[in-house]
Amino acid sequence: AQSVTQPDIHITVSEGASLELRCNYSYGATPYLFWYVQSPGQGLQLLLKYFSGDTLVQGIKGFEAEFKRSQSSFNLRKPSVHWSDAAEYFCAVKGGSEKLVFGKGTKLTVNP
Amino acid sequence: NAGVTQTPKFQVLKTGQSMTLQCAQDMNHNSMYWYRQDPGMGLRLIYYSASEGTTDKGEVPNGYNVSRLNKREFSLRLESAAPSQTSVYFCASSLGQSYTEAFFGQGTRLTVV
């Protein structure tokens, strides 16, 4: 069964600083990987996804993520964080059966 | 362009009462999902349906039942609500090919007293 681990429950960064959110997955075959963002009181919005090809994928709002099969990781990055990026971020993995499993999330706080 | 619509948005139940959460999508998606979100626990998969006519258990199915009524609709039923089922419930849908993302509804906030 697939699973996702997000090691960091809460991260605080200063506005303008770089950001990396960690995600490790467990799945026996080729994974399909996703990052979502959730603003307070809102639903989930897709930031980016990986399913094949180039291991560095670009998403919306200036985010990117790199798939590393050898490390079973799919870390999310942004070069310069804006105050509006404060939210909760979720990594997810889908297998061939359409089962979509999420990690516990990382809450991002941005200091001015 | 409604996307995924959940009803109701808020609900308060007494322990032991039953209710059904409704979800409908208008994107002609094949796969549909029900999640619950609790603080510090992320989104936990309750049930999913990979196609019309099929349903499968997720990570936390106990205390819930689902019905894939047709391709558009996927309902979640609590037969005898318990305080532990107080949560925010999200419905989602996906085209049905593994690389396609899920689209989420706005959630139902359920309180069981």
Side-chain angles (χ1 to χ4, degrees):
Chain A
Q2 68 255 50
S3 65
V4 175
T5 301
Q6 294 182 247
D8 304 306
I9 297 172
H10 191 184
I11 284 183
T12 300
V13 299
S14 298
E15 192 169 15
S18 63
L19 172 69
E20 182 168 28
L21 302 182
R22 296 183 291 165
C23 171
N24 293 98
Y25 68 90
S26 173
Y27 185 63
T30 300
Y32 303 94
L33 297 160
F34 307 85
W35 274 100
Y36 285 83
V37 60
Q38 184 182 35
S39 298
Q42 302 297 312
L44 279 83
Q45 181 183 21
L46 179 74
L47 285 174
L48 47 78
K49 64 182 180 183
Y50 170 81
F51 57 94
S52 69
D54 194 345
T55 56
L56 185 64
V57 293
Q58 303 296 320
I60 63 170
K61 305 185 180 188
F63 285 93
E64 66 178 26
E66 186 171 13
F67 171 61
K68 293 185 177 180
R69 185 185 297 275
S70 61
Q71 298 178 20
S72 297
S73 69
F74 188 55
N75 294 349
L76 182 71
R77 301 194 293 246
K78 187 170 185 178
S80 177
V81 170
H82 187 262
W83 63 266
S84 61
D85 293 324
E88 192 156 20
Y89 292 81
F90 294 95
C91 182
V93 61
K94 189 196 278 191
S97 66
E98 282 296 294
K99 185 176 183 180
L100 178 63
V101 173
F102 284 78
K104 292 186 177 181
T106 298
K107 183 177 180 181
L108 175 66
T109 297
V110 181
N111 287 334
Chain B
N1 52 347
V4 179
T5 302
Q6 293 182 232
T7 54
K9 289 184 169 50
F10 301 94
Q11 184 71 50
V12 179
L13 287 180
K14 294 182 178 179
T15 298
Q17 286 186 317
S18 63
M19 81 160 294
T20 299
L21 306 184
Q22 306 286 354
C23 176
Q25 52 90 10
D26 62 1
M27 297 175 282
N28 201 34
H29 284 174
N30 291 303
S31 300
M32 297 187 73
Y33 306 83
W34 276 108
Y35 294 89
R36 60 177 290 173
Q37 184 176 28
D38 304 288
M41 300 299 293
L43 284 90
R44 292 182 290 172
L45 181 64
I46 304 171
Y47 273 92
Y48 68 105
S49 170
S51 62
E52 186 179 356
T54 69
T55 60
D56 287 286
K57 294 179 180 179
E59 302 164 284
V60 289
N62 291 346
Y64 304 95
N65 286 301
V66 290
S67 296
R68 185 73 184 266
L69 304 169
N70 47 54
K71 192 172 185 179
R72 290 187 62 248
E73 298 172 289
F74 189 38
S75 62
L76 178 72
R77 183 161 178 83
L78 288 70
E79 290 291 351
S80 179
S84 60
Q85 295 178 305
T86 294
S87 187
V88 179
Y89 291 85
F90 285 99
C91 178
S93 71
S94 173
L95 184 58
Q97 298 176 35
S98 294
Y99 57 86
T100 56
E101 67 269 31
F103 293 83
F104 283 79
Q106 288 301 299
T108 296
R109 186 173 294 276
L110 175 67
T111 303
V112 183
V113 297

